[in-house]
Amino acid sequence: METNSNNIPKWVIREAVTDCKDVYEFAYKYRKPDRFTGRGEENEQAIMKTHIDEIARFGYTIISHHDNITGRIVAFIPPTI
């Protein structure tokens, strides 16, 4: 999937991580376990579906500062293919 960075807000590009190869790595690396995997498989799958749907719709996905390990908003923009 190729993303058009012209449509991605500048703040998302500024907060985007570059150390993840895909959205799964992003979620498992940056989400707080107690708010992601610690709430059951159904919740985990729903969150992953949301991330995938956001990428398809907007070209990126984010994790709020409440739900990630950094304490700030982080974004994932998939690499272009």
Side-chain angles (χ1 to χ4, degrees), residues 2-70:
E2 187 171 329
T3 57
N4 181 352
S5 63
N6 294 332
N7 297 331
I8 297 176
K10 289 180 182 178
W11 70 267
V12 172
I13 294 169
R14 184 180 64 241
E15 303 302 333
V17 299
T18 58
D19 60 343
C20 298
K21 66 181 184 290
D22 59 38
V23 70
Y24 295 97
E25 183 178 0
F26 171 69
Y28 287 96
K29 185 172 188 173
Y30 285 98
R31 282 196 161 276
K32 289 181 179 175
D34 63 327
R35 294 177 180 235
F36 182 42
T37 56
R39 293 186 176 173
E41 187 175 335
E42 188 174 313
N43 182 68
E44 181 181 338
Q45 290 175 357
I47 290 171
M48 286 308 305
K49 182 180 181 329
T50 299
H51 281 310
I52 292 165
D53 291 349
E54 287 176 348
I55 289 171
R57 185 171 178 195
F58 305 115
Y60 65 91
T61 189
I62 66 166
I63 301 172
S64 74
H65 68 285
H66 296 291
D67 292 326
N68 77 68
I69 61 169
T70 69

